[in-house]
Amino acid sequence: MTTIFINGLGLIGSSIARIIRKSAPDARIIGNDINKANIDFLLEHKIINEAINFEDGSHQADVIVLASPVNSIIEDIEKLSNLELKSSVIVTDVGSSKVNILQAANQLVDKGIAFIGGHPMAGSHLTGSENGSIEMLANNTYFLVNHNGSDRQVNMIKELLKSGQLRFKEVSADKHDQIVSTISHLPHLITYALTLTVNDSLKDIYATDINMGNGLLDSTRIAKSNPDVWSDILTSNSDNLLDQIDAFEKQLDTLKEAIIDKKPDKLRQYIVDANDTRNGWENNAK
């Protein structure tokens, strides 16, 4: 019987647990989380077999999934490097940045432990194990950043996750961090800035609350994301994110100049280009 230990049973960790439970019904899934409510929910719904502390779970595991925030994953890798693990164990994670995690994982590699980084490109502003689901991750990209795992070990991770209908993409750590800084980290940062800008602009104009339009609510949904998770993410990939902020500022300056010069035709073309790009994204997702 394969034993999988998942450390971190929130939104993503619990979704991974659900996928593994469906992919490998006979597997023994054990888990740890600082939030007892997450554990209780998964035990009640028979998604995990047992709650266990970090050290004991790591000792027993054939596969270890690190599913806490990025900085905590790095701390967990440090802990694992000082524990006696099965020689055949595979360690993986779901962190949103990879260069710093793989650098930390060298401590495990030096001991002959296989580390295969992972990152599902999906999520929600909701939190906790009760809000996790297989459907949330289905048909989305799942990056695999293999450090030193064999083909067999990589295939084992894919096999455990097969019921998730994931689109596996194997990339280097550098490439991964460049990609996610563009398609995930920058949009979150912009959304936080937009939300706070609107709030600051309105608070001195209106004495009472107003109902925001659906366009603004749709555009700022991810401003409700978990502050602890996202403050970790944005600082863990800071060099790439700063490059993307510079690129965004250039685009904003170009649009600003068209408004200053009162050139609606120029603005219209920017909007047409944005329309075409956005429609292309939707078509690729189908």
Side-chain angles (χ1 to χ4, degrees):
M1 181 184 294
T2 302
T3 297
I4 296 99
F5 171 53
I6 303 176
N7 189 60
L9 295 168
L11 186 74
I12 299 299
S14 69
S15 298
I16 297 296
R18 288 170 168 89
I19 291 171
I20 295 174
R21 173 57 66 218
K22 186 174 181 181
S23 299
D26 295 331
R28 177 172 172 254
I29 305 176
I30 55 180
N32 177 59
D33 195 282
I34 58 174
N35 185 343
K36 187 175 182 295
N38 286 336
I39 294 172
D40 290 345
F41 179 89
L42 296 177
L43 287 170
E44 179 184 349
H45 289 81
K46 296 180 170 49
I47 297 168
I48 65 172
N49 298 91
E50 180 185 347
I52 197 166
N53 65 49
F54 185 88
E55 184 171 342
D56 289 341
S58 300
H59 283 316
Q60 297 177 32
D62 298 298
V63 177
I64 297 172
V65 181
L66 303 177
S68 54
V70 173
N71 288 341
S72 296
I73 288 172
I74 293 172
E75 293 174 2
D76 291 341
I77 290 171
E78 172 73 28
K79 293 176 188 174
L80 290 176
S81 70
N82 293 309
L83 295 176
E84 204 59 46
L85 306 176
K86 290 183 179 180
S87 60
S88 59
V89 69
I90 304 170
V91 182
T92 188
D93 77 298
V94 297
S96 295
S97 61
K98 281 287 162 279
V99 169
N100 52 356
I101 288 177
L102 262 66
Q103 286 173 346
N106 284 330
Q107 302 168 82
L108 298 176
V109 171
D110 290 344
K111 297 180 66 175
I113 300 299
F115 189 92
I116 302 168
H119 177 209
M121 286 301 299
S124 168
H125 61 277
L126 301 173
T127 60
S129 61
E130 64 181 320
N131 292 307
S133 70
I134 295 177
E135 293 72 25
M136 182 180 68
L137 302 186
N139 299 313
N140 286 297
T141 297
Y142 195 106
F143 287 111
L144 287 175
V145 185
N146 184 16
H147 201 350
N148 66 323
S150 65
D151 290 344
R152 182 190 64 80
Q153 289 170 321
V154 171
N155 288 334
M156 182 176 180
I157 295 296
K158 291 180 178 179
E159 190 68 15
L160 285 173
L161 299 175
K162 67 180 179 181
S163 69
Q165 299 178 7
L166 303 164
R167 299 180 179 182
F168 291 107
K169 186 170 183 61
E170 297 185 39
V171 294
S172 68
D174 286 335
K175 182 63 69 176
H176 169 275
D177 286 3
Q178 290 172 6
I179 292 170
V180 297
S181 71
T182 305
I183 66 175
S184 177
H185 302 173
L186 179 67
H188 275 80
L189 190 78
I190 291 170
T191 301
Y192 302 142
L194 173 61
T195 303
L196 295 174
T197 299
V198 171
N199 183 62
D200 289 346
S201 297
L202 291 181
K203 67 183 179 183
D204 293 331
I205 301 174
Y206 293 96
T208 58
D209 291 338
I210 61 171
N211 291 327
M212 298 300 177
N214 286 338
L216 181 63
L217 293 177
D218 289 345
S219 300
T220 57
R221 177 187 58 80
I222 56 177
K224 299 193 291 182
S225 55
N226 187 308
D228 294 327
V229 170
W230 276 96
S231 57
D232 259 12
I233 290 171
L234 296 178
T235 51
S236 70
N237 194 21
S238 56
D239 288 346
N240 285 308
L241 178 56
L242 289 170
D243 288 342
Q244 295 307 319
I245 292 171
D246 288 342
F248 177 72
E249 287 175 339
K250 288 179 182 177
Q251 287 284 0
L252 205 57
D253 285 341
T254 301
L255 292 168
K256 184 178 178 181
E257 286 173 9
I259 293 171
I260 292 171
D261 296 339
K262 300 186 186 304
K263 293 185 175 180
D265 290 344
K266 196 172 183 180
L267 278 170
R268 183 184 182 282
Q269 188 57 53
Y270 288 135
I271 296 170
V272 168
D273 292 344
N275 285 174
D276 291 344
T277 299
R278 182 63 172 79
N279 288 332
W281 292 349
E282 287 189 2
N283 291 334
N284 287 337
K286 291 177 182 178

